[in-house]
């Protein structure tokens, strides 16, 4: 399972880097809000299959890597109160990054004439 594989890799990295916390846990609420924002504000389509594929990709933990990096960097660069002021902009940008990546995955599937992604 992809999520188990990602969790295993993160655990291994945490062990090697002696991290006390999974970096994804630090931005979990931000990632959840980003996905909700993307689904309700960006992913509007009349094509049921396209919407289902996009939602599937957005809900995978590994597919939020770009958004997680953006949030982690933003939080590192701005003090807590300053980050609160730019949170919505970071969320919108991270949603756009995830949608753009999602579109590239769907394009690859179309070019490859694939009806499955990661065996699903």
């Amino acid at each position: 399972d992809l999520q188990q594989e990602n969790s295993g890799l993160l655990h291994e990295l945490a062990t090697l880097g002696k991290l006390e916390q999974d970096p994804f846990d630090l931005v979990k609420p931000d990632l959840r809000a980003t996905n909700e924002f993307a689904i309700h504000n960006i992913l509007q389509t009349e094509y049921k299959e396209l919407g289902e594929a996009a939602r599937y990709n957005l809900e995978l933990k590994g597919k939020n890597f770009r958004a997680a990096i953006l949030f982690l960097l933003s939080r590192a660069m701005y003090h807590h109160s300053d980050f609160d002021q730019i949170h919505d902009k970071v969320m919108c940008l991270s949603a756009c990054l995830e949608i753009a990546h999602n579109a590239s995955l769907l394009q690859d599937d179309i070019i490859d004439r694939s009806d499955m992604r990661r065996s699903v």
Side-chain angles (χ1 to χ4, degrees):
D1 180 35
L2 182 60
Q3 284 187 327
Q4 288 176 336
E5 182 180 326
N6 284 343
S7 293
L9 289 172
L10 286 172
H11 177 71
E12 184 178 326
L13 287 172
T15 303
L16 291 172
K18 297 181 179 137
L19 297 175
E20 294 180 13
Q21 187 172 14
D22 179 347
F24 280 96
D25 287 343
L26 298 172
V27 292
K28 189 180 281 187
D30 298 320
L31 297 178
R32 193 172 312 124
T34 296
N35 282 350
E36 290 297 316
F37 178 83
I39 289 169
H40 292 99
N41 295 293
I42 300 174
L43 273 182
Q44 300 298 322
T45 180
E46 4 179 301
Y47 302 100
K48 181 181 174 188
E49 293 85 4
L50 182 61
E52 288 174 359
R55 278 187 188 84
Y56 169 78
N57 284 331
L58 282 173
E59 291 171 357
L60 291 175
K61 183 176 183 180
K63 300 300 179 194
N64 294 319
F65 183 75
R66 287 146 298 281
I69 293 296
L70 183 61
F71 274 107
L72 288 167
L73 286 172
S74 297
R75 286 184 179 280
M77 292 173 58
Y78 293 91
H79 295 292
H80 185 69
S81 60
D82 292 337
F83 179 77
D84 290 344
Q85 293 176 351
I86 65 163
H87 180 269
D88 288 347
K89 291 179 182 178
V90 175
M91 181 178 62
C92 184
L93 179 57
S94 65
C96 290
L97 286 171
E98 290 301 321
I99 293 296
H101 178 69
N102 199 340
S104 73
L105 295 174
L106 292 173
Q107 179 187 18
D108 288 346
D109 290 345
I110 291 168
I111 290 170
D112 295 341
R113 298 174 192 242
S114 175
D115 59 353
M116 298 176 79
R117 172 157 293 281
R118 307 247 183 208
S119 302
V120 178

